Structure formats: C-alpha cells, structure tokens
Amino acid sequence: MADTPSTEEPRLQRSIGAGMLALYGLGTMLGVGIYGLVGRAAGMLGGAVWAAFLVAMAAALLTGLSYAALGARYPRAGGAAYIIERAYRRRVIAYTAGLAVIASGLTSMATGARIFGDNLDALFDFGAPVELYAAGYLLVLCVLVWRGLRESLWVNALCTLVEAAGLILLIVLGARFWGQADLMELPSEQNWGATGLLLAQSAVLTFFAFLGFEDTLNVAEEVKNPARNVPLGIIGAMLAATILYMLVAVTAVSVVPWRDLAEAPAPLGAVMERAAPWLPSIVYSGVTIFAVANTSLINFVMASRLTYGLARQGFLPKPLMRIHPKRHTPHVAAIAIFAAATLLVFAGDVSQLAAATVLLLLAVFALMNGAQLLLANRAGEPRAPIRLPSLVPALGGLICLGLLGARALGGEIRAPLIALALIGGILLLYFATRATHRPDATPSEEAAT
C-alpha cells in the first residue's frame, strides 16, 4: 500500500546545538559597540575601565538568567511576545512588545547595512550610492535567511570567529604592555561614594554590550533540547563576552594611556597602531565589516522568527506564518523584513529611531523579568527546568527600569518622544486591526517538544 502524503503543515526544525547557539549569542554581543565603548568608558573610569564591564555583566546577567529560564520553559519563535501574553494575559501588551522588538531589529539592520555600505565604498570606491550597497547586502541576507537557519548560523559562526579573532589579536599584540598601567587609577581623586557613582555610570554605558537575549530567545523553537541548550547558550555567550571585554579593556589602557584613549575617535584602532604599527589598517576595517554584517544577520534571523511568531499568535496577517516546505524557514516573513529594512535604508539616518527603540527594548526586558516572577509558580504551566530565586528577576526588572529612566531623562528629548510616538502608533494599529486578529491555534511548544 502506498504511503499517504502528509497533510501536516511544515514546521520549523530543531537543528541548533548548545555550541552553535552560544556562538549566535556571542555574535549579538561582539558587535561594533566594543570598538567605541572602551574609549568612552575609559574617560569615565580611567584605568579601572575593566571593572565597568564586570559590573555591567553582573547586572545584565540577572535579565539573562530570566531569559534563559523562560526560553528553556517556552521555546517558541514568538519570543517575548508569546511569553508576555502568557504571563500578563493581555494581548495588547504582547502585541506592543512584539512590534517594539521588531522595530528595534529593523533599525539595527538598517543602520548596520548603511555602515556596511560606507565601509565597502571606502575600501573599493565603486562609485555607486551607499544605499545601493546597503540594499544589496540586505538582499544577500534575505536569501541566506530564506535558505535555512543552519546556513545562517554557519555564516554567523564565521563572522563571530572573525570578530573574536580581531579582539584576540589585539590582546596578543598588546600583552607585552601589561603591567605598564595602573588598573585602579581613576580620572581624579575620588571618595568611595564618588567612585561608586563613576562605576555605576560606566556600567550603564557598557551594559548594552551584553544584550542579545531577544535574538537568542526567538530561535529557541529551533534548538535541540531547549531545556538544556538555551540556558547554556545564553549564559555561555555572556561569560565568553565578559572575558574578552575585560582582557581588551586591560590591554587598551596598558597600551594607550586612558586619557588618550578617551579622546581617540577609534580607540581600538589607536591601540593597534601603537601595539603593531606594521599591521595594515585594512585588517581592522575588515573586522569591522564582519562585525556589522554579523549584527545585521542576527537581527534579520530574529525579526523573521518574531514576525512568524506574531502571525502564528494571530496578530499579523496569516501569510507571514508560512513555512517553506523544503527549507523549513519563515520565507514570507523574511521577505517582509527585507522590504521594511530596505525602506529604512533609503529613508536616511535612523539614529534617533534606533535610540528610541533601545528604550522600548529596556521596557520589554522589564516585562520579561516580571513574566518570570508571574510564571515561576503558576499552576498549569510547564515544568521549569531552571528555578531562579525571585530576587533574580526582581533585581533584573528594577535595573532595566532604572536604565530606562536614566536613558529617557539623561539624553536628548527626541528619543523618548519618538518612543512614545511608536507606542502610540502600535496601539492605534492594534485597535484598528483587532477584528482581524486570530487566536493561536497551533500546537503548544510543550506538545512539540
């Protein structure tokens, strides 16, 4: 008797192990940010800049642990949107959080694509508009994400290894300068209270070097044994990034006096010039291109999975939840993300929009810490592979809210206003399209696993 053709809808496939997930998470952290953060943090904390990364990691780890526990328990492509709806039982909150995260990914992709185009133009000077390079790069990413997650993650792994190799090369070349700087020297004579304030301020600055929870959470549905591998991936990536960052910070202030480092337009470039003047500058330009490319790729993967997840939750049009029958990728969602990011590229400078979406991300992180508190002991929820003391998500949420307040009140007023406008627009869209929303009718992730 001939086999009956399967009528089951194609689904995402579990193909990611702990090591690949850790590299994916590390790739979200080793972006271009570290290349400028070291100088800015050195201006605030002097030779003790390494301490800023240590404190920032400890603060970020609280939220990272909440994401690890939730990702292990609810391995779902909808990421934060699914978990927030489940915890707070308010679809409007989940919808707002989901679109806010997508907006953050889109602005990061558009910014990264333009930087990629600028660097490519500087290196080769083909004479074409930068926007054309950027759009072409996004098209390449779209094809890669459409083709498959394993292919995307192999490219991510390559880019992450190149980024890490660039930082390791700096550490190796600068190691002979270790011991030449006072690693406890502060910008001026400070009492303990002022020193604590300086450390807190510089930790706030470097906190954002450890963010990548949302990107990792949105591929949890494609992770083998998520109860084990999601926590290992998130925490492993954070620890690896911390070691690299602290060694880079120690090396940087050892090679270049921290006062000079703080004023250098390209701090790590200045370190390389002094530690290895024989090294061609194109080497670090190439590493920068890989870093930017990797960040955009990771955001593309995240945004496509989140768009698919929101469509599956019934928030977005049904075609966006289609899975390619052979590639097992959310190909329609990927095309939609490509179109939206390309529009942003041609729209010009999106730095203010990017700053606004950072505020929204901090709000989502606070909500996720609250979700961990609400779901930890709720009856009827799946068994928790990781049990966290309530103090962990409580402190994580308070830190995110504190950072949200500091960023909103301490910077330009435009970013908070744009963030409020985005929330207003998302809410209007929610209520305007609410009649078309569908309940999530797909099998739960507990059954799937």
Side-chain angles (χ1 to χ4, degrees), residues 239-259:
L239 293 177
T242 302
I243 293 170
L244 273 176
Y245 286 160
M246 289 181 65
L247 289 174
V248 166
V250 168
T251 303
V253 295
S254 299
V255 176
V256 178
W258 63 261
R259 291 176 179 82

Side-chain angles (χ1 to χ4, degrees), residues 17-29 57 60-73 83 210-220 223 226-242 368 386:
M20 192 66 81
L21 187 65
L23 274 176
Y24 179 77
L26 185 60
T28 68
M29 299 173 198
M57 189 278 288
L61 185 60
L62 296 170
T63 297
L65 287 170
S66 289
Y67 266 80
L70 291 167
R73 200 173 181 187
I83 292 169
F210 293 96
L211 301 188
F213 321 127
E214 193 60 44
D215 302 288
T216 306
L217 186 65
N218 275 286
V219 298
V223 173
R228 171 184 177 272
N229 290 336
V230 169
L232 284 177
I234 291 177
I235 296 168
M238 293 188 73
L239 293 177
T242 302
M368 287 292 283
I386 298 178

Side-chain angles (χ1 to χ4, degrees), residues 31-261:
V32 293
I34 181 64
Y35 294 87
L37 277 178
V38 168
R40 293 168 63 192
M44 300 175 70
L45 211 58
V49 62
W50 58 271
F53 287 99
L54 183 61
V55 173
M57 189 278 288
L61 185 60
L62 296 170
T63 297
L65 287 170
S66 289
Y67 266 80
L70 291 167
R73 200 173 181 187
Y74 308 100
R76 182 92 167 194
Y82 174 78
I83 292 169
I84 285 171
E85 182 181 2
R86 190 154 186 153
Y88 297 94
R89 294 169 176 168
R90 293 290 184 272
R91 285 175 68 79
V92 65
I93 302 176
Y95 182 88
T96 305
L99 287 195
V101 175
I102 289 176
S104 173
L106 287 171
T107 55
S108 178
M109 286 168 58
T111 302
R114 288 186 67 92
I115 294 173
F116 182 89
D118 286 334
N119 277 276
L120 200 65
D121 185 54
L123 281 175
F124 300 107
D125 191 19
F126 292 128
V130 169
E131 291 83 1
L132 196 59
Y133 297 141
Y137 167 63
L138 289 174
L139 180 60
V140 171
L141 291 187
C142 184
V143 172
L144 184 60
V145 171
W146 168 84
R147 181 163 178 79
L149 185 64
R150 285 185 64 86
E151 291 84 349
S152 298
L153 291 189
W154 277 112
V155 173
N156 161 254
L158 172 64
C159 291
T160 300
L161 291 173
V162 170
E163 292 175 71
L167 296 178
I168 292 170
L169 177 64
L170 181 142
I171 294 165
V172 170
L173 293 175
R176 71 180 191 275
F177 293 87
W178 288 2
Q180 297 185 19
D182 181 359
L183 299 181
M184 298 301 292
E185 182 184 5
L186 296 170
S188 59
E189 290 295 327
Q190 303 286 345
N191 57 39
W192 282 106
T195 299
L197 181 60
L198 278 174
L199 182 56
Q201 289 173 340
S202 52
V204 166
L205 178 67
T206 52
F207 177 88
F208 297 94
F210 293 96
L211 301 188
F213 321 127
E214 193 60 44
D215 302 288
T216 306
L217 186 65
N218 275 286
V219 298
E221 191 168 335
E222 296 162 273
V223 173
K224 303 172 188 174
N225 190 8
R228 171 184 177 272
N229 290 336
V230 169
L232 284 177
I234 291 177
I235 296 168
M238 293 188 73
L239 293 177
T242 302
I243 293 170
L244 273 176
Y245 286 160
M246 289 181 65
L247 289 174
V248 166
V250 168
T251 303
V253 295
S254 299
V255 176
V256 178
W258 63 261
R259 291 176 179 82
D260 298 334
L261 195 69

Side-chain angles (χ1 to χ4, degrees), residues 362-400:
L362 287 170
V364 171
F365 292 158
L367 285 171
M368 287 292 283
N369 279 294
Q372 169 62 20
L373 284 170
L374 289 171
L375 293 170
N377 298 304
R378 182 183 287 176
E381 295 296 326
R383 184 180 61 84
I386 298 178
R387 291 194 173 275
L388 297 178
S390 297
L391 187 62
V392 170
L395 284 177
L398 287 174
I399 288 171
C400 290

Side-chain angles (χ1 to χ4, degrees), residues 77-82 94-110 214-215 218 296 298-313 315-317 320 333-334 336-341 344 353-354 356-358 360-361 364 422 426 429:
Y82 174 78
Y95 182 88
T96 305
L99 287 195
V101 175
I102 289 176
S104 173
L106 287 171
T107 55
S108 178
M109 286 168 58
E214 193 60 44
D215 302 288
N218 275 286
S296 297
I298 289 166
N299 277 286
F300 207 131
V301 172
M302 178 276 293
S304 64
R305 267 59 182 179
L306 181 52
T307 300
Y308 159 79
L310 287 173
R312 191 169 63 179
Q313 281 178 259
F315 288 130
L316 296 178
L320 292 170
I337 292 300
F338 164 71
L344 282 178
L353 180 60
T357 57
V358 167
L360 298 182
L361 269 185
V364 171
L422 280 172
I426 290 171
L429 188 62

